[in-house]
Amino acid sequence: MHCFRKITSDLYWVGGSDRRLELFENIFPLSKGVSYNSYLLMDEKTVLFDTADHAIGHQFLENIKAVLNGRALDYLVVNHMEPDHCAMIEELILRYPNMQIIGNAKTFPLISQFFDFDLDGKAITVKEGDTFSSGAHTLHFIMAPMIHWPETMMTYDETDKVLFSADAFGTFGALNGNIFNDEVDFDREWLDETRRYYTNIVGKYGIQVQNVLKKTAELDIRVICPLHGPIWRTNLDYIIEKYDTWSRYEPEEAGVMIAYASMYGNTENMAEIFAAILAEAGVKNIRMHNISKTHVSELISDSFKYSHIILAAPTYNNGIYPLMHSYLEDMKALSLQNRTIAVLGNGTWAPQSSKLISAKIGEMKNMRLLDLAITIKSSVKDSHMEEIQSLARQIAAEVL
């Protein structure tokens, strides 16, 4: 049975949600599932904006059929060729053989890589600034390369002021009937997953995001239709400002994230002591992660959120504790910048972690590494407390 919702007088959401998928891209945990958004415009010509993942294929096809109500599907606009949004293209070609596909010069080679159907007579190639009329609506195409694939583009409906934003402004999480931002408590229910989605999927491409934000700033946008998560029809500046902050690699909040690894509890004890000193100094915004139990995507999300990061880990095989090493590699790969970092190390006979973690931070761009790196041997003693307190109070003063 179909399940769709109306967005404007002639635009419909025809997507669906997958609550069975455990790992997005087979990497990122999905405790709340994920949505795959697709949109159908019922103008003089019918236009579908992107398809969906095979996981919701049956629901997706039923939704389209119900909204079309006997009409043909004339055009498919492909804003993004990642399989979670393009998987159903061939199925649509089989059902609507006269459908034409609108994409850019980089779209169609990818279609030929994923599918075997003949594109002759079906492909309409557009470039930056081109327009297309479906009748009452005029579509304007905006190239958005590397957000986060090279062929990505956005489509702006000049008539109803709707931006079809591809993966931009998206989020992890299944939709629960409420598909609009003003139908949910976004800060409570969606912000953390939106940040985790952006920082891990798009985070590396801050410069490219800034370029597109400059393009879209010139448009009168009243609705944002992303490919994942809620549709924005109110308070658009809120999500745009979040993207601006994240893509400039500026901290979202003044606060302290403590990410620690501990084999037998001694490094954890040092991290707990450090957090308690911060709290006694008046810092309320503290977030602690045991990196052995926290997925790295959450670590990255909070790394983008907070101004100060404390890294605490023991030495392992004369190197960096493996999970800490993986986390640091992700920080570097995703271009995290403009953070203040402090390092707490441990080692029983040859403590190396403070030095090695500090060296890894030194490979990253625009990071401020505090000079005082604390190293303990095995466990915290009274003799360590003065330097621990000194470092924690310095960070507290900066945060406050």
Side-chain angles (χ1 to χ4, degrees):
M1 181 65 179
H2 58 77
C3 180
F4 60 82
R5 286 194 65 183
K6 181 178 282 192
I7 300 170
T8 65
S9 61
D10 53 4
L11 179 66
Y12 296 81
W13 175 83
V14 291
S17 289
D18 183 359
R19 294 176 180 81
R20 298 183 181 184
L21 184 66
E22 294 188 7
L23 296 173
F24 187 80
E25 295 182 349
N26 217 18
I27 300 175
F28 306 107
L30 291 176
S31 62
K32 299 178 181 178
V34 68
S35 72
Y36 303 108
N37 297 338
S38 177
Y39 306 95
L40 182 54
L41 180 63
M42 298 294 288
D43 201 357
E44 292 175 24
K45 296 293 185 179
T46 58
V47 184
L48 180 71
F49 298 91
D50 295 291
T51 72
D53 191 90
H54 274 302
I56 63 159
H58 183 73
Q59 180 73 73
F60 170 71
L61 293 171
E62 284 200 344
N63 293 347
I64 291 172
K65 182 180 179 181
V67 174
L68 287 173
N69 192 27
R71 291 183 64 183
L73 180 57
D74 297 311
Y75 296 97
L76 167 66
V77 175
V78 179
N79 288 306
H80 187 26
M81 268 301 296
E82 200 165 3
D84 56 335
H85 307 299
C86 78
M88 300 300 294
I89 292 178
E90 192 165 36
E91 296 289 339
L92 290 175
I93 288 288
L94 292 172
R95 286 165 172 76
Y96 307 100
N98 295 321
M99 180 186 79
Q100 292 186 288
I101 302 174
I102 300 173
N104 60 68
K106 294 181 179 179
T107 304
F108 296 105
L110 293 182
I111 290 179
S112 296
Q113 288 175 206
F114 281 108
F115 305 105
D116 293 323
F117 63 82
D118 188 358
L119 280 166
D120 286 350
K122 295 188 180 299
I124 300 174
T125 303
V126 296
K127 62 182 184 301
E128 182 78 42
D130 280 357
T131 60
F132 175 85
S133 175
S134 60
H137 294 261
T138 299
L139 306 179
H140 174 97
F141 302 102
I142 303 159
M143 299 303 113
M146 298 318 301
I147 307 178
H148 55 116
W149 277 28
E151 90 305 341
T152 305
M153 68 180 190
M154 299 180 181
T155 303
Y156 175 63
D157 176 2
E158 296 179 357
T159 306
D160 282 347
K161 317 300 184 187
V162 177
L163 180 69
F164 300 93
S165 62
D167 267 347
F169 308 113
T171 178
F172 296 132
L175 294 167
N176 301 313
N178 303 118
I179 69 168
F180 297 103
N181 70 296
D182 56 0
E183 294 179 332
V184 299
D185 184 336
F186 192 86
D187 272 3
R188 181 171 63 87
E189 299 170 9
W190 289 93
L191 179 57
D192 286 346
E193 287 293 79
T194 304
R195 185 190 307 105
R196 187 166 72 97
Y197 176 87
Y198 173 87
T199 56
N200 287 276
I201 304 298
V202 190
K204 179 177 180 177
Y205 305 107
I207 293 173
Q208 291 86 346
V209 172
Q210 282 289 306
N211 290 338
V212 173
L213 287 176
K214 290 174 184 175
K215 292 182 185 180
T216 56
E218 299 175 359
L219 304 174
D220 177 14
I221 303 171
R222 299 178 187 175
V223 180
I224 297 176
C225 290
L227 289 177
H228 298 289
I231 297 162
W232 288 83
R233 64 181 181 184
T234 62
N235 199 19
L236 272 59
D237 286 346
Y238 172 92
I239 191 63
I240 292 171
E241 287 170 5
K242 290 293 185 187
Y243 261 61
D244 183 47
T245 298
W246 295 333
S247 60
R248 286 186 291 107
Y249 303 101
E250 295 297 330
E252 190 178 342
E253 296 180 7
V256 183
M257 172 196 176
I258 301 176
Y260 71 87
S262 189
M263 289 187 286
Y264 301 107
N266 292 300
T267 308
E268 180 180 39
N269 176 241
M270 177 166 51
E272 295 282 8
I273 292 168
F274 201 93
I277 297 169
L278 288 172
E280 288 177 348
V283 179
K284 296 181 179 180
N285 202 6
I286 303 170
R287 176 70 163 158
M288 293 190 71
H289 288 291
N290 175 354
I291 68 171
S292 297
K293 298 185 69 176
T294 304
H295 191 268
V296 70
S297 65
E298 295 184 32
L299 302 177
I300 291 297
S301 179
D302 276 347
S303 299
F304 272 73
K305 181 178 181 179
Y306 293 108
S307 59
H308 290 64
I309 301 172
I310 314 302
L311 303 172
T315 305
Y316 197 89
N317 285 338
N318 208 37
I320 300 174
Y321 191 78
L323 293 175
M324 178 64 76
H325 185 269
S326 296
Y327 166 41
L328 293 170
E329 287 294 325
D330 268 19
M331 286 172 62
K332 181 179 178 181
L334 293 167
S335 297
L336 182 69
Q337 302 171 42
N338 304 319
R339 298 300 183 276
T340 296
I341 309 289
V343 180
L344 311 178
N346 192 356
T348 295
W349 65 89
Q352 297 291 315
S353 59
S354 293
K355 179 180 70 175
L356 296 173
I357 292 171
S358 296
K360 208 71 181 172
I361 295 297
E363 297 174 4
M364 302 179 195
K365 295 183 291 186
N366 303 325
M367 289 296 210
R368 176 182 172 233
L369 179 64
L370 296 182
D371 292 335
L372 181 57
I374 296 172
T375 298
I376 65 171
K377 287 188 174 181
S378 301
S379 63
V380 179
K381 305 296 184 185
D382 287 341
S383 58
H384 299 129
M385 289 305 297
E386 183 176 347
E387 61 178 351
I388 292 175
Q389 289 172 344
S390 176
L391 180 58
R393 287 169 181 163
Q394 177 187 344
I395 291 171
E398 293 180 3
V399 169
L400 296 172

